[in-house]
């Protein structure tokens, strides 16, 4: 604990403005005035309550919707029943313009709420066991779990009951309300498949085995853009999980930094003292010498959403409900409650991809014939089955782009231009760098940004590639194109979809395709190729030119540039640029490049310039990085 104390003291000389705000009152004082605010109206709410204290109870004022609030519900593990779903839907329908957001943490958010109606909404939700306590700001947020815990064939250790006991340690406990330096995210799974993004939380408890005993490995320090690390702690039973969880949240509460709010997550405390120190502190604080880590068993990808249903152990099914971008309706939630009672066992699940499952269904065919499934399909196209998008500018003050409808528009465009009969593509959208749409973990990720067209700032995205959720851990993707205006980004992703369709093996997911084909190229080469293909389509340059499955350039960008130029020259001119090559250059240094304009009448001038720069007879004048030639194939002027 000594190292933790020293790190805390080194950073405790200055408190951030939120910590100073906390000194004004307790969050409970603000919450107790909710009825008073409802009676006296919006103008009676103090600024500090709107900006912070009411958020401790999941009540968010959103300037994007003046004088209206959002309430973030706590639905443990995304598990709720038909009675709860019906009340959630009725509250949205009566008070919130019939709007519901399903979130990437398997929760619900109601929007457009007036302060006058909030006490009524809170009471109606509490009557069916749903509340919003501690779902915002410096609290332990809703704990995630596998949507098929205890019911799936790949479930080894039922864990949802442990989740509920973890909640009991802090929920509705005054000592824990707004007591942390920043938010704290948690997940637990006893399943072999990773259906809850389990590796990317502040603290995660992941199915593992050691010496023939099944338990949980502890991962720590995950957040947006950062995958948690194995803490080398194995927890052999429920009691040890609860002890380790109580220990780490206590350590974060006592020693977490409270100065620079951008660096107050557990990740930065681990960064300051080292993971080994944190692991030792967890053992010391818990008074238990936990075993070292076992073998992590949560390694498989999840495929239920690609089948439209999942068979459960009792022979019934969990039927998928695709909710594009998580945009749902109160009336639809009410209808899903009815369907859960008529066709299922009355249980529903929200998953991390902002969709629903109706559980315990025996007659799947009859269920999916219901009109509800005309709007929300059980099995959509590959572009929609795994579509995620966070709130965006319409609802979030941090959003840079609208996001949700941008994601739907992209998926619809791809459906039209590159239809896929089968396949699996996870497209995850975040409206800003905060990454609530977990864009870094998508097969293709989109991060909202500003982008200029003709000197005018508009909506754009940074495009990511190669994120992973499954496997022994998770992998953040990498940027392949920065600052693409939204109206042009779709053409670049179209290139990617076309290559996936052209080169895809039978049954191959986009992730597998990426590992097999795209991993052989640098990020710069991938981005340039997508832009080049989009340019050639726009200019009606009919030449088959794309990625190859066998690449010898060794991810050396200079080699990639020359090889691309040589092959494009050959495709267009039907002859080689030079008579012989060695190590990705021409052998005969005296040989002159024949201007492709002489070989290909009416060739696009920008393509001609690119080839001249790449293949120039004077090696010292050749382009050696893709950024030197990108401007020639831009579809727009910045």
């Amino acid at each position: 604990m000594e190292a933790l104390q020293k790190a805390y003291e080194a950073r405790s000389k200055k408190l951030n403005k939120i910590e100073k705000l906390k000194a004004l009152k307790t969050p409970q004082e603000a919450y107790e005035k909710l009825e008073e605010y409802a009676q006296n109206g919006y103008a009676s709410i103090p600024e500090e309550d709107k900006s912070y204290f009411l958020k401790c109870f999941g009540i968010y004022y959103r300037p994007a919707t003046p004088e209206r609030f959002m309430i973030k519900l706590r639905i443990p593990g995304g598990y709720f029943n038909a009675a709860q779903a019906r009340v959630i839907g009725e509250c949205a329908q009566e008070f919130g313009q019939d709007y519901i957001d399903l979130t990437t943490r398997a929760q619900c958010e109601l929007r457009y709420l007036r302060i006058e109606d909030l006490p009524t909404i809170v009471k109606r939700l509490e009557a069916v066991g749903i509340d919003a306590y501690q779902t915002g700001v410096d609290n332990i947020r809703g704990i995630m779990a596998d949507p098929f815990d205890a019911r799936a064939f790949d479930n080894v250790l039922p864990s949802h009951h442990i989740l509920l006991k973890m909640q009991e340690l802090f929920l509705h406990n005054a000592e824990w309300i707004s007591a942390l330096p920043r938010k704290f995210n948690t997940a637990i799974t006893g399943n072999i498949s990773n259906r809850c993004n389990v590796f990317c939380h502040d603290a995660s408890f992941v199915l593992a085995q050691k010496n023939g005993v099944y338990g949980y490995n502890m991962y720590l320090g995950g957040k947006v853009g950062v995958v948690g690390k194995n803490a080398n702690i194995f927890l052999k039973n429920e009691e040890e999980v609860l002890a380790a969880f109580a220990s780490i949240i206590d350590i974060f509460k006592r020693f977490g930094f409270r100065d620079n709010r951008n660096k107050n997550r557990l990740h930065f405390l681990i960064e300051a003292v080292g993971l080994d120190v944190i692991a030792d502190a967890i053992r010391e604080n818990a008074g238990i010498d936990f075993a070292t880590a076992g073998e992590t068993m949560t390694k498989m990808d999840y495929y239920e959403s690609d089948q439209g249903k999942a068979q459960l152990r009792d022979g019934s099914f969990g039927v998928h409900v695709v909710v594009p971008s998580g945009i749902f309706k109160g009336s639809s939630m009410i209808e899903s409650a009815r369907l859960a009672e008529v066709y299922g066992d009355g249980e529903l699940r929200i998953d991390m991809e902002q969709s629903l499952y109706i559980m315990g269904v025996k007659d799947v065919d009859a269920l999916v014939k219901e009109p509800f499934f005309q709007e929300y399909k059980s099995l959509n196209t590959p572009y929609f089955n795994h579509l995620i998008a966070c709130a965006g500018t319409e609802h979030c003050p941090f959003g840079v782009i609208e996001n949700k409808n941008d994601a739907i528009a992209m998926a619809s465009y791809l459906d039209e231009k590159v239809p896929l009969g089968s396949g699996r593509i996870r497209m995850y959208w975040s409206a800003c760098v905060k990454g609530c749409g977990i864009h870094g973990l998508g097969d293709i990720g989109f991060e909202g940004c500003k982008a200029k067209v003709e000197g005018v700032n508009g909506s754009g995205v940074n495009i990511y590639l190669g994120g992973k959720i499954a496997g022994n851990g998770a992998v953040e993707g990498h940027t392949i194109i920065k600052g693409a205006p939204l109206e042009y980004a779709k053409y670049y992703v179209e290139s990617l979809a076309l290559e996936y369709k052209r080169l895809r093996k039978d049954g191959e997911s986009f992730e597998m395709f990426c590992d097999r084909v795209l991993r052989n190229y640098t990020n710069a080469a991938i981005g340039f190729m997508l832009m080049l293909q989009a340019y050639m389509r726009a200019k009606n340059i009919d030449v088959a030119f794309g990625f190859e499955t066998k690449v010898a350039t060794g991810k050396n960008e200079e080699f990639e540039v020359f090889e691309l130029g040589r092959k494009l020259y050959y495709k267009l001119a039907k002859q080689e640029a030079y008579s012989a090559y060695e190590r990705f250059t021409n052998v005969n240094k005296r040989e002159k490049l024949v201007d492709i304009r002489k070989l290909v009448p009416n060739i696009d001038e920008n393509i001609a310039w690119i080839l001249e720069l790449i293949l120039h007879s004077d090696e010292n004048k050749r382009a050696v990085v893709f950024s030197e030639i990108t401007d020639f194939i831009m579809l727009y002027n910045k």
Side-chain angles (χ1 to χ4, degrees), residues 131-332:
D131 67 26
Y133 250 71
Q134 293 156 273
T135 56
V137 289
D138 302 350
N139 289 287
I140 300 168
R141 304 295 183 84
I143 302 173
M144 292 188 71
D146 192 290
F148 302 130
D149 180 79
R151 304 188 70 169
F153 282 94
D154 75 323
N155 179 248
V156 177
L157 292 179
S159 305
H160 194 259
H161 67 286
I162 303 178
L163 180 158
L164 297 176
K165 291 184 179 180
M166 292 164 77
Q167 277 191 173
E168 291 175 4
L169 297 175
F170 63 86
L171 193 56
H172 297 276
N173 183 339
E175 294 182 6
W176 284 97
I177 299 174
S178 183
L180 301 178
R182 277 295 301 277
K183 67 180 177 180
F184 193 93
N185 289 333
T186 311
I188 182 169
T189 184
N191 289 52
I192 292 171
S193 299
N194 180 10
R195 300 184 185 90
C196 60
N197 184 22
V198 74
F199 297 101
C200 296
H201 305 260
D202 293 276
S204 304
F205 302 88
V206 187
L207 178 67
Q209 69 86 21
K210 184 169 185 174
N211 298 327
V213 174
Y214 284 103
Y216 304 85
N217 278 342
M218 193 174 189
Y219 284 73
L220 296 172
K223 66 184 189 73
V224 170
V226 177
V227 176
K229 295 181 179 178
N230 193 322
N232 198 25
I233 289 176
F234 177 76
L235 307 165
K236 66 177 183 288
N237 53 34
E238 174 184 313
E239 290 72 26
E240 289 199 346
V241 170
L242 294 173
F245 177 67
S247 182
I248 188 58
I249 60 176
D250 178 64
I251 287 168
F252 183 54
K253 179 181 175 183
R254 289 162 56 193
F255 300 109
F257 303 140
R258 297 174 186 265
D259 52 353
N260 181 348
R261 194 159 172 82
N262 290 327
K263 294 193 174 182
N264 286 3
R265 292 287 293 274
L266 178 66
H267 167 80
F268 297 104
L269 180 61
I270 293 171
E271 192 175 65
V273 301
L275 189 56
D276 290 344
V277 169
I278 294 290
D280 290 343
I282 290 170
R283 291 180 170 94
E284 180 181 342
N285 200 36
I288 302 173
D289 187 17
F290 298 119
T292 55
E295 180 184 358
T296 297
M297 302 300 292
T298 303
K299 298 178 181 181
M300 288 180 59
D301 214 334
Y302 55 97
Y303 287 97
E304 292 79 13
S305 44
D306 299 298
Q307 316 301 325
K309 61 187 178 183
Q311 186 179 11
L312 306 176
R313 283 185 171 180
D314 65 358
S316 68
F317 290 85
V319 177
H320 193 221
V321 178
V322 181
V323 184
S325 292
I327 301 174
F328 209 42
K329 292 185 289 193
S331 51
S332 300

Side-chain angles (χ1 to χ4, degrees), residues 460-581:
V461 285
N462 298 318
I463 302 175
Y464 287 68
L465 187 71
K468 294 184 180 183
I469 287 178
N472 194 353
V475 176
E476 286 284 334
H478 42 265
T479 312
I480 54 169
I481 296 177
K482 292 184 178 180
L486 268 175
E487 59 265 45
Y488 295 98
K490 62 185 179 183
Y491 303 128
Y492 305 145
V493 183
E494 180 184 356
S495 299
L496 205 48
L498 285 166
E499 290 298 277
Y500 174 47
K501 185 173 184 176
R502 179 176 71 88
L503 296 171
R504 177 177 178 252
K505 291 184 175 181
D506 186 43
E508 188 173 51
S509 68
F510 187 89
E511 181 179 310
M512 294 173 183
F513 160 75
C514 193
D515 283 345
R516 181 175 61 87
V517 178
L518 300 184
R519 68 170 181 172
N520 299 313
Y521 295 86
T522 63
N523 300 339
I526 295 170
F528 183 84
M529 179 68 83
L530 302 184
M531 296 174 74
L532 175 62
Q533 289 179 326
Y535 180 85
M536 290 195 294
R537 289 196 306 276
K539 299 297 182 179
N540 294 313
I541 301 171
D542 187 14
V543 56
F545 189 72
F547 296 105
E548 297 180 352
T549 56
K550 293 183 179 180
V551 180
T553 50
K555 297 183 75 169
N556 180 305
E557 188 172 350
E558 181 177 352
F559 295 169
E560 289 176 323
V561 171
F562 187 84
E563 189 74 348
L564 180 144
R566 183 183 75 80
K567 290 182 176 179
L568 182 56
Y569 188 101
Y570 181 83
K571 286 279 187 179
L572 291 166
K574 303 297 187 284
Q575 68 180 53
E576 290 284 358
Y578 294 102
S579 58
Y581 302 97

Side-chain angles (χ1 to χ4, degrees), residues 360-410:
V361 176
K362 293 184 178 178
D363 191 344
V364 175
D365 291 339
L367 172 61
V368 298
K369 287 177 183 175
E370 287 277 350
F372 176 86
F373 284 94
Q374 295 299 310
E375 183 173 3
Y376 305 101
K377 301 180 186 301
S378 64
L379 183 62
N380 210 315
T381 71
Y383 302 113
F384 279 100
N385 280 332
H386 299 275
L387 189 65
I388 284 178
C390 67
T393 52
E394 186 175 352
H395 300 297
C396 178
F398 302 109
V400 179
I401 62 174
E402 196 281 340
N403 206 50
K404 283 186 176 290
N405 286 316
D406 296 327
I408 292 171
M410 174 78 79

